[in-house]
Coordinates of all heavy atoms in Angstrom, one line a residue:
D497 N 131.3 62.0 80.5 CA 131.5 63.4 81.0 C 132.2 64.3 80.1 O 132.5 65.4 80.4 CB 132.1 63.3 82.4 CG 133.5 62.7 82.3 OD1 133.7 61.9 81.4 OD2 134.3 62.9 83.2
T498 N 132.6 63.8 78.9 CA 133.4 64.6 78.0 C 132.9 64.5 76.6 O 132.2 63.5 76.2 CB 134.9 64.2 78.1 OG1 135.0 62.8 77.8 CG2 135.5 64.5 79.4
D499 N 133.3 65.4 75.8 CA 133.0 65.4 74.3 C 134.4 65.3 73.6 O 135.4 65.8 74.0 CB 132.4 66.7 73.9 CG 130.9 66.7 74.3 OD1 130.4 65.6 74.5 OD2 130.4 67.8 74.3
I500 N 134.4 64.5 72.5 CA 135.6 64.3 71.7 C 135.4 65.0 70.4 O 134.3 64.9 69.7 CB 135.8 62.8 71.4 CG1 136.1 62.1 72.8 CG2 137.1 62.6 70.5 CD1 136.2 60.6 72.6
F501 N 136.4 65.8 69.9 CA 136.4 66.4 68.7 C 137.5 65.9 67.8 O 138.7 66.0 68.2 CB 136.5 67.9 68.8 CG 135.4 68.5 69.6 CD1 135.4 68.6 71.0 CD2 134.2 69.0 69.0 CE1 134.4 69.1 71.7 CE2 133.2 69.5 69.7 CZ 133.3 69.6 71.1
I502 N 137.2 65.3 66.7 CA 138.2 64.6 65.8 C 138.3 65.5 64.5 O 137.3 65.9 63.9 CB 137.8 63.2 65.4 CG1 137.5 62.4 66.7 CG2 138.8 62.5 64.6 CD1 137.0 61.0 66.5
S503 N 139.6 65.8 64.2 CA 139.8 66.6 63.0 C 139.5 65.8 61.7 O 139.3 64.6 61.7 CB 141.3 67.0 62.9 OG 142.1 65.8 62.9
D504 N 139.4 66.5 60.6 CA 139.0 65.9 59.3 C 139.9 64.8 58.9 O 139.5 63.8 58.3 CB 138.9 67.0 58.2 CG 137.7 67.9 58.5 OD1 136.8 67.5 59.3 OD2 137.8 69.0 58.0
D505 N 141.2 64.9 59.1 CA 142.1 63.9 58.7 C 142.4 62.8 59.7 O 143.2 61.9 59.5 CB 143.5 64.5 58.3 CG 144.1 65.2 59.5 OD1 143.5 65.2 60.6 OD2 145.2 65.8 59.4
E506 N 141.6 62.8 60.7 CA 141.6 61.8 61.8 C 143.0 61.6 62.4 O 143.4 60.5 62.8 CB 141.1 60.4 61.3 CG 139.6 60.5 60.9 CD 139.1 59.1 60.5 OE1 139.9 58.2 60.3 OE2 137.9 59.0 60.4
S507 N 143.9 62.6 62.3 CA 145.2 62.5 62.8 C 145.4 63.2 64.2 O 146.4 63.1 64.8 CB 146.2 63.1 61.8 OG 146.0 64.5 61.6
D508 N 144.4 64.0 64.6 CA 144.5 64.7 65.8 C 143.2 64.6 66.6 O 142.1 64.6 66.1 CB 144.7 66.2 65.5 CG 145.0 67.0 66.7 OD1 145.5 66.5 67.7 OD2 144.6 68.2 66.7
V509 N 143.4 64.4 67.9 CA 142.2 64.2 68.8 C 142.3 65.2 69.9 O 143.4 65.4 70.5 CB 142.2 62.8 69.4 CG1 141.1 62.6 70.4 CG2 142.2 61.7 68.3
V510 N 141.2 65.9 70.1 CA 141.2 67.0 71.2 C 140.1 66.6 72.1 O 138.9 66.4 71.7 CB 141.0 68.4 70.5 CG1 141.0 69.4 71.7 CG2 142.1 68.7 69.6
W511 N 140.3 66.6 73.4 CA 139.3 66.4 74.4 C 138.9 67.7 75.0 O 139.7 68.6 75.3 CB 139.9 65.5 75.5 CG 140.1 64.1 75.1 CD1 141.3 63.6 74.5 CD2 139.2 63.0 75.2 NE1 141.1 62.3 74.3 CE2 139.9 61.9 74.7 CE3 137.9 62.9 75.6 CZ2 139.3 60.6 74.6 CZ3 137.3 61.6 75.6 CH2 138.0 60.5 75.0
K512 N 137.6 67.8 75.2 CA 137.1 69.0 75.8 C 136.1 68.6 76.8 O 135.1 67.9 76.5 CB 136.5 69.9 74.8 CG 136.0 71.2 75.4 CD 135.4 72.1 74.3 CE 134.9 73.4 74.8 NZ 134.4 74.3 73.8
A513 N 136.3 69.0 78.1 CA 135.3 68.7 79.1 C 134.0 69.4 78.9 O 134.0 70.6 78.5 CB 135.9 69.0 80.5
V514 N 132.9 68.7 79.2 CA 131.6 69.4 79.1 C 131.4 70.2 80.4 O 131.4 69.6 81.5 CB 130.5 68.3 79.0 CG1 129.2 69.0 79.0 CG2 130.7 67.6 77.7
N515 N 131.2 71.5 80.3 CA 130.9 72.3 81.4 C 129.4 72.4 81.6 O 128.7 72.9 80.7 CB 131.5 73.7 81.2 CG 133.0 73.7 81.1 OD1 133.6 72.9 81.9 ND2 133.6 74.5 80.3
K516 N 128.9 72.0 82.7 CA 127.5 72.1 83.0 C 127.2 73.6 83.3 O 127.9 74.3 84.0 CB 127.2 71.3 84.3 CG 127.4 69.8 84.1 CD 126.9 69.0 85.3 CE 127.1 67.5 85.1 NZ 126.7 66.8 86.3
P517 N 126.0 74.0 82.8 CA 125.7 75.4 83.0 C 125.5 75.7 84.5 O 124.8 74.9 85.2 CB 124.4 75.6 82.2 CG 123.8 74.2 82.0 CD 125.0 73.3 82.0
K518 N 126.0 76.8 84.9 CA 125.9 77.1 86.3 C 124.6 77.9 86.6 O 124.2 78.7 85.8 CB 127.1 78.1 86.7 CG 128.4 77.4 86.7 CD 129.5 78.3 87.2 CE 130.9 77.6 87.1 NZ 132.0 78.6 87.6
T519 N 124.0 77.5 87.7 CA 122.7 78.2 88.0 C 123.0 79.6 88.6 O 123.9 79.7 89.5 CB 122.0 77.4 89.1 OG1 121.8 76.0 88.7 CG2 120.7 78.0 89.5
P520 N 122.4 80.6 88.0 CA 122.7 81.9 88.5 C 122.3 82.1 89.9 O 121.2 81.7 90.3 CB 121.9 82.8 87.5 CG 120.8 81.9 87.0 CD 121.5 80.6 86.9
Q521 N 123.2 82.7 90.7 CA 123.0 82.9 92.1 C 122.2 84.2 92.3 O 122.4 85.2 91.7 CB 124.3 83.0 92.9 CG 125.1 81.7 92.9 CD 126.4 81.9 93.7 OE1 126.7 83.0 94.1 NE2 127.1 80.8 93.9
Q522 N 121.2 84.1 93.2 CA 120.4 85.2 93.5 C 121.1 86.2 94.5 O 121.9 85.7 95.2 CB 119.0 84.8 94.2 CG 118.1 84.0 93.2 CD 116.8 83.6 93.9 OE1 116.7 83.7 95.1 NE2 115.9 83.1 93.1
A523 N 120.8 87.4 94.3 CA 121.4 88.4 95.2 C 121.0 88.2 96.7 O 119.9 87.8 96.9 CB 121.0 89.8 94.8
Y524 N 121.9 88.4 97.6 CA 121.7 88.1 99.0 C 120.7 89.1 99.5 O 120.7 90.3 99.3 CB 123.0 88.2 99.8 CG 122.8 88.1 101.3 CD1 122.5 86.9 101.9 CD2 122.8 89.2 102.1 CE1 122.3 86.8 103.2 CE2 122.6 89.1 103.5 CZ 122.4 87.9 104.0 OH 122.2 87.8 105.4
D525 N 119.7 88.6 100.2 CA 118.6 89.4 100.8 C 118.6 89.1 102.3 O 118.2 87.9 102.7 CB 117.3 89.1 100.2 CG 116.2 90.1 100.7 OD1 116.4 90.8 101.7 OD2 115.1 90.1 100.1
I526 N 119.0 90.0 103.2 CA 119.0 89.7 104.6 C 117.7 89.4 105.2 O 117.6 88.7 106.2 CB 119.7 90.9 105.3 CG1 120.1 90.5 106.7 CG2 118.7 92.1 105.3 CD1 120.9 91.6 107.4
K527 N 116.6 89.9 104.5 CA 115.3 89.6 105.0 C 114.8 88.2 104.7 O 113.8 87.8 105.2 CB 114.3 90.6 104.4 CG 114.5 92.1 104.7 CD 114.4 92.3 106.2 CE 114.6 93.8 106.5 NZ 114.6 94.1 107.9
M528 N 115.6 87.5 103.9 CA 115.2 86.1 103.6 C 116.3 85.1 104.1 O 116.4 84.0 103.6 CB 114.9 85.9 102.1 CG 113.8 86.8 101.6 SD 113.5 86.7 99.9 CE 112.6 85.1 99.8
D529 N 117.2 85.6 105.0 CA 118.2 84.7 105.5 C 117.7 84.0 106.8 O 117.4 84.7 107.8 CB 119.4 85.6 105.9 CG 120.6 84.8 106.4 OD1 120.4 83.6 106.7 OD2 121.7 85.4 106.5
P530 N 117.5 82.7 106.7 CA 117.0 82.0 107.9 C 117.8 82.0 109.1 O 117.4 81.6 110.2 CB 116.9 80.5 107.3 CG 117.8 80.4 106.2 CD 117.8 81.8 105.6
N531 N 119.1 82.5 109.0 CA 119.9 82.6 110.2 C 119.5 83.8 111.0 O 120.0 84.0 112.1 CB 121.4 82.9 109.7 CG 122.0 81.6 109.1 OD1 121.7 80.5 109.5 ND2 122.7 81.8 108.0
N532 N 118.6 84.6 110.5 CA 118.0 85.7 111.3 C 119.0 86.6 111.9 O 119.1 86.9 113.1 CB 117.1 85.1 112.4 CG 116.1 86.2 113.0 OD1 116.0 87.3 112.5 ND2 115.5 85.9 114.1
P533 N 119.9 87.2 111.0 CA 121.0 88.1 111.5 C 120.5 89.3 112.2 O 121.2 89.9 113.0 CB 121.8 88.4 110.3 CG 120.8 88.2 109.1 CD 119.9 87.1 109.6
E534 N 119.2 89.8 111.9 CA 118.7 91.0 112.6 C 118.0 90.7 113.9 O 117.5 91.6 114.5 CB 117.8 91.7 111.6 CG 118.6 92.3 110.4 CD 117.7 93.0 109.4 OE1 116.5 92.6 109.2 OE2 118.1 94.0 108.8
G535 N 117.8 89.4 114.2 CA 117.1 89.1 115.4 C 115.6 89.4 115.5 O 115.1 89.9 116.5
H536 N 114.9 89.0 114.5 CA 113.5 89.2 114.4 C 112.7 88.1 115.2 O 113.2 87.0 115.4 CB 113.0 89.2 113.0 CG 113.4 90.3 112.2 ND1 112.7 91.5 112.1 CD2 114.5 90.5 111.3 CE1 113.3 92.3 111.3 NE2 114.4 91.7 110.8
N537 N 111.5 88.5 115.7 CA 110.6 87.5 116.3 C 109.5 87.2 115.4 O 108.6 86.3 115.8 CB 110.1 88.1 117.6 CG 111.1 88.1 118.7 OD1 112.0 88.9 118.7 ND2 111.0 87.2 119.7
S538 N 109.4 87.9 114.3 CA 108.2 87.8 113.4 C 108.5 87.4 112.0 O 109.7 87.5 111.6 CB 107.4 89.1 113.4 OG 107.1 89.5 114.7
L539 N 107.5 86.9 111.3 CA 107.7 86.5 109.9 C 106.5 87.2 109.1 O 105.4 87.2 109.6 CB 107.6 85.0 109.7 CG 108.8 84.2 110.2 CD1 108.5 82.7 110.0 CD2 110.1 84.6 109.4
W540 N 106.8 87.6 107.9 CA 105.8 88.0 106.9 C 105.7 86.9 105.9 O 106.7 86.4 105.4 CB 106.2 89.3 106.2 CG 105.3 89.7 105.1 CD1 104.2 90.5 105.2 CD2 105.4 89.4 103.7 NE1 103.6 90.7 104.0 CE2 104.3 90.0 103.1 CE3 106.3 88.6 103.0 CZ2 104.1 89.8 101.7 CZ3 106.0 88.4 101.6 CH2 105.0 89.1 101.0
I541 N 104.5 86.5 105.7 CA 104.2 85.3 104.8 C 103.4 85.8 103.6 O 102.2 86.3 103.8 CB 103.5 84.2 105.5 CG1 104.3 83.9 106.8 CG2 103.4 83.0 104.6 CD1 103.5 83.0 107.8
G542 N 103.9 85.7 102.4 CA 103.2 86.1 101.2 C 102.5 84.9 100.5 O 102.9 83.8 100.7
N543 N 101.6 85.2 99.6 CA 100.9 84.2 98.8 C 99.9 83.4 99.6 O 99.7 82.2 99.3 CB 101.8 83.3 98.0 CG 102.4 84.0 96.8 OD1 101.9 85.0 96.3 ND2 103.5 83.5 96.2
V544 N 99.4 84.0 100.7 CA 98.4 83.3 101.5 C 97.0 83.5 100.9 O 96.5 84.6 100.8 CB 98.5 83.9 103.0 CG1 97.4 83.2 103.8 CG2 99.8 83.7 103.6
Q545 N 96.4 82.4 100.5 CA 95.1 82.5 99.8 C 94.0 82.6 100.8 O 94.1 82.4 102.0 CB 95.0 81.3 98.9 CG 96.1 81.1 97.9 CD 96.2 82.3 97.0 OE1 95.3 82.7 96.3 NE2 97.4 82.9 97.0
E546 N 92.8 83.0 100.2 CA 91.7 83.3 101.1 C 91.2 82.1 101.9 O 90.5 82.2 102.9 CB 90.5 83.8 100.2 CG 90.9 85.2 99.6 CD 89.7 85.7 98.7 OE1 88.8 84.9 98.4 OE2 89.8 86.9 98.3
D547 N 91.4 80.9 101.3 CA 90.9 79.7 102.0 C 91.8 79.2 103.2 O 91.5 78.2 103.9 CB 90.7 78.5 101.0 CG 91.9 78.1 100.3 OD1 92.9 79.0 100.2 OD2 92.0 77.0 99.8
V548 N 93.0 79.9 103.3 CA 93.9 79.5 104.4 C 93.4 80.1 105.7 O 93.2 81.3 105.8 CB 95.4 79.9 104.1 CG1 96.3 79.6 105.2 CG2 95.8 79.3 102.8
T549 N 93.3 79.3 106.7 CA 92.8 79.8 108.0 C 94.0 80.0 109.0 O 95.1 79.5 108.9 CB 91.8 78.8 108.6 OG1 92.5 77.6 108.9 CG2 90.7 78.6 107.7
E550 N 93.7 80.8 110.1 CA 94.6 81.0 111.1 C 95.0 79.7 111.8 O 96.1 79.4 112.2 CB 94.1 82.0 112.2 CG 94.1 83.4 111.7 CD 93.7 84.4 112.7 OE1 93.5 84.0 113.9 OE2 93.6 85.6 112.4
K551 N 94.0 78.8 111.9 CA 94.2 77.5 112.5 C 95.2 76.7 111.8 O 96.1 76.1 112.4 CB 92.9 76.8 112.6 CG 93.0 75.4 113.3 CD 91.6 74.7 113.4 CE 91.7 73.4 114.1 NZ 90.4 72.7 114.1
K552 N 95.2 76.8 110.4 CA 96.1 76.1 109.6 C 97.5 76.7 109.8 O 98.5 75.9 109.9 CB 95.7 76.2 108.1 CG 96.6 75.6 107.1 CD 96.7 74.1 107.3 CE 97.6 73.4 106.3 NZ 97.7 72.0 106.5
L553 N 97.7 78.0 109.8 CA 99.0 78.6 110.0 C 99.5 78.3 111.4 O 100.7 78.0 111.6 CB 98.9 80.1 109.8 CG 98.6 80.5 108.4 CD1 98.6 82.1 108.3 CD2 99.6 79.9 107.4

Side-chain angles (χ1 to χ4, degrees):
D497 58 341
T498 56
D499 283 338
I500 299 174
F501 297 87
I502 304 175
S503 61
D504 293 336
D505 59 0
E506 296 186 347
S507 62
D508 185 29
V509 178
V510 180
W511 290 88
K512 182 178 180 181
V514 175
N515 295 322
K516 295 183 179 180
K518 296 182 179 180
T519 304
Q521 295 182 350
Q522 295 182 348
Y524 175 75
D525 187 348
I526 196 171
K527 298 298 182 183
M528 301 181 76
D529 186 346
N531 294 317
N532 194 9
E534 294 180 323
H536 291 274
N537 288 74
S538 307
L539 289 174
W540 175 89
I541 309 167
N543 283 342
V544 178
Q545 301 305 300
E546 295 179 347
D547 60 337
V548 178
T549 63
E550 288 186 2
K551 183 178 180 181
K552 177 63 176 178
L553 294 182

